[in-house]
Amino acid sequence: MESFQEMMSMEIDCKELSVREINRMLKEAVKNGEKKIILKNPGAKHYIGAGLIGDVEIIVKGSVGFFAGTMFHGPKMIVERNAGWFAGDNMTEGYIEIKGNAGDGVGQGIYGGVIVVRGDAGARTGEIMKNGTIIIGGKSDFMTGLFMMGGKIIVLGDLKSMAGESMVRGVIYVKGEVESLGKNAKLVEINEKDEEFLKEILKKYDFPAFTNKFRKIVPEKKRFVYGTAPSEEG
């Protein structure tokens, strides 16, 4: 039975539509003032919501493929199942939640916004991210935070090998085990400020707000970025 909110929402059946058609319809709907759009039968299509700008909530009734929400600026997207590679790639502002698992490169290159994966994530989570926040409810695979330039990654499960490889700024909070660290990454204890931040953000996004066992990965040495600006340690 549909909820009242679903009855008041615009619906798009994606089954027989190309990605180009879906994204055209989304942009037109936002232009016309729609605030909530439900995508049915997404069929794990790639590039859903690519380049979308505006104040709108998108509920995806299934899984999405590669580059879901790429270059988002403002929208909120809830994916009720899984996501392929590069969810939220280069997002500047907005919110993406994946209720299942996600593939490699979650939040690649993001400049802002929040990405939440309730399950596990693949390799290179937060690769070359500049700012924003990524929360992984399960484990994250190898090279999490590769070339990380800023922002925050929170992993409630384990981190696989080479975590924080060549990171230059930012911080990776981890509650589980760390298989190994990458170059220029070091594992240190969290401080009181970290605890306050973790409790607040975990509660906000419906995760257990217990900070025990959390540690953080930060750059081991301050290095120059493109020969000009020094990095920050956490």
Side-chain angles (χ1 to χ4, degrees):
M1 184 175 179
E2 290 185 324
S3 67
F4 175 75
Q5 284 188 327
E6 287 179 325
M7 291 172 64
M8 297 298 292
S9 303
M10 176 182 178
E11 291 186 358
I12 299 175
D13 190 337
C14 303
K15 189 173 183 179
E16 304 296 333
L17 299 176
S18 68
V19 173
R20 187 183 296 272
E21 290 170 323
I22 295 166
N23 286 340
R24 186 184 297 124
M25 292 174 74
L26 286 172
K27 289 176 182 178
E28 190 66 26
V30 172
K31 184 179 178 180
N32 291 335
E34 293 288 346
K35 293 299 183 182
K36 187 167 185 177
I37 304 169
I38 296 173
L39 300 184
K40 293 187 173 182
N41 302 308
K45 289 183 170 77
H46 306 318
Y47 298 99
I48 287 179
L52 194 62
I53 299 171
D55 178 19
V56 63
E57 181 178 6
I58 302 166
I59 309 295
V60 183
K61 296 287 188 176
S63 296
V64 293
F66 299 166
F67 291 98
T70 181
M71 295 181 287
F72 252 15
H73 185 75
K76 176 180 180 180
M77 177 187 282
I78 309 294
V79 178
E80 294 193 345
R81 295 190 68 184
N82 303 314
W85 289 9
F86 306 119
D89 161 77
N90 276 285
M91 178 170 72
T92 52
E93 183 181 318
Y95 176 75
I96 297 175
E97 179 176 335
I98 299 157
K99 291 188 178 294
N101 301 319
D104 295 352
V106 172
Q108 173 182 257
I110 65 171
Y111 292 85
V114 176
I115 301 176
V116 172
V117 179
R118 298 288 170 188
D120 298 330
R124 302 185 302 279
T125 298
E127 177 180 3
I128 63 170
M129 67 184 288
K130 288 81 173 176
N131 209 334
T133 302
I134 301 171
I135 306 175
I136 309 297
K139 64 177 182 290
S140 185
D141 217 315
F142 65 87
M143 288 189 180
T144 294
L146 173 66
F147 296 124
M148 189 176 180
M149 299 179 187
K152 295 178 174 64
I153 299 174
I154 303 169
V155 180
L156 279 75
D158 296 337
L159 281 176
K160 292 295 185 179
S161 61
M162 303 175 73
E165 172 66 30
S166 299
M167 66 188 299
V168 293
R169 287 194 180 116
V171 58
I172 304 169
Y173 294 101
V174 55
K175 193 168 189 177
E177 298 298 319
V178 180
E179 185 175 314
S180 67
L181 295 171
K183 295 186 294 293
N184 203 50
K186 66 179 180 180
L187 188 64
V188 299
E189 297 299 317
I190 61 172
N191 56 34
E192 188 174 321
K193 186 177 179 181
D194 295 318
E195 285 190 27
E196 291 175 2
F197 164 74
L198 287 167
K199 285 177 181 177
E200 182 178 347
I201 198 164
L202 290 173
K203 184 178 180 181
K204 180 176 180 179
Y205 293 107
D206 297 319
F207 288 100
F210 301 109
T211 59
N212 58 307
K213 297 186 180 179
F214 265 108
R215 294 160 294 164
K216 65 181 179 180
I217 299 170
V218 295
E220 184 176 25
K221 298 178 182 177
K222 290 189 175 184
R223 303 192 300 175
F224 285 92
V225 183
Y226 306 125
T228 55
S231 68
E232 299 166 353
E233 298 191 357

